[in-house]
Amino acid sequence: MRVPRLVAAFALCVMAGTTGAQAPAKPPAVHIIWMGGNDCPPCVAWRKSELPKLQASPEFAGVKFSYVTKSIMSSVPIAIFLPAEVRPYKDKLDYASSGRHGSPQAAIMVNGEVYDYFQGTRMAVDIEQMLAALRTGAPYPFKRCVKASREWLKCDSWG
């Protein structure tokens, strides 16, 4: 009895440990960079109420989080004042922020690139939805800004 070539090729793949099926997609590397300081009342309130909720969520467990201290009147701090894990993104943060001052500012980095850059606070539940969308590929719950405008709360380039 003759075995069709397709079946024979499949059998060879199985024996070699490959079936032609693609490996599961690697989850994206997500890094939240949150910038604010004690001179910013919304920043202080967010760290007190929303950050602990976010840190307790299962979605937060799969991401990296960095808090960068900056004053309201400053833009992204110079590299020496950034945590070591944020320094590699200094140029990307400068570009995404357009040199804008004000606090808080946040960057959602995905695989080393700015995925979303926003100013102002977001509730923990909103950030959890953002993280779930990134993990699952579901629609992102906000319009993504990848380059902020110099004007308060405006965006020059949407993602």
Side-chain angles (χ1 to χ4, degrees):
M1 176 185 219
R2 197 164 180 207
V3 178
R5 287 185 182 174
L6 184 58
V7 174
F10 180 75
L12 286 172
C13 287
V14 170
M15 290 188 320
T18 61
T19 62
Q22 292 189 4
K26 183 180 174 186
V30 178
H31 187 169
I32 301 171
I33 301 171
W34 198 275
M35 297 176 274
N38 290 334
D39 64 336
C40 163
C43 301
V44 173
W46 184 85
R47 285 194 325 261
K48 184 177 179 181
S49 67
E50 296 302 311
L51 182 56
K53 294 176 199 172
L54 183 59
Q55 289 171 322
S57 76
E59 289 296 342
F60 189 81
V63 304
K64 186 177 213 175
F65 178 85
S66 298
Y67 188 83
V68 175
T69 302
K70 71 171 238 34
S71 71
I72 292 174
M73 295 310 295
S74 70
S75 59
V76 174
I78 61 173
I80 197 167
F81 293 119
L82 293 173
E85 71 272 14
V86 176
R87 283 185 202 135
Y89 306 122
K90 170 67 172 145
D91 290 341
K92 293 176 183 181
L93 294 172
D94 284 343
Y95 177 81
S97 73
S98 294
R100 179 192 291 177
H101 66 279
S103 293
Q105 295 184 36
I108 308 300
M109 307 294 292
V110 176
N111 298 328
E113 300 297 328
V114 175
Y115 186 83
D116 192 8
Y117 195 93
F118 60 92
Q119 191 162 1
T121 59
R122 288 190 179 163
M123 295 178 59
V125 67
D126 293 330
I127 296 172
E128 288 175 57
Q129 291 174 354
M130 293 162 51
L131 297 175
L134 292 171
R135 180 180 52 78
T136 64
Y140 195 68
F142 293 93
K143 191 170 181 182
R144 298 185 307 115
C145 181
V146 294
K147 183 172 181 9
S149 169
R150 299 267 309 162
E151 293 181 54
W152 178 258
L153 299 178
K154 298 206 179 199
C155 185
D156 280 345
S157 183
W158 298 98

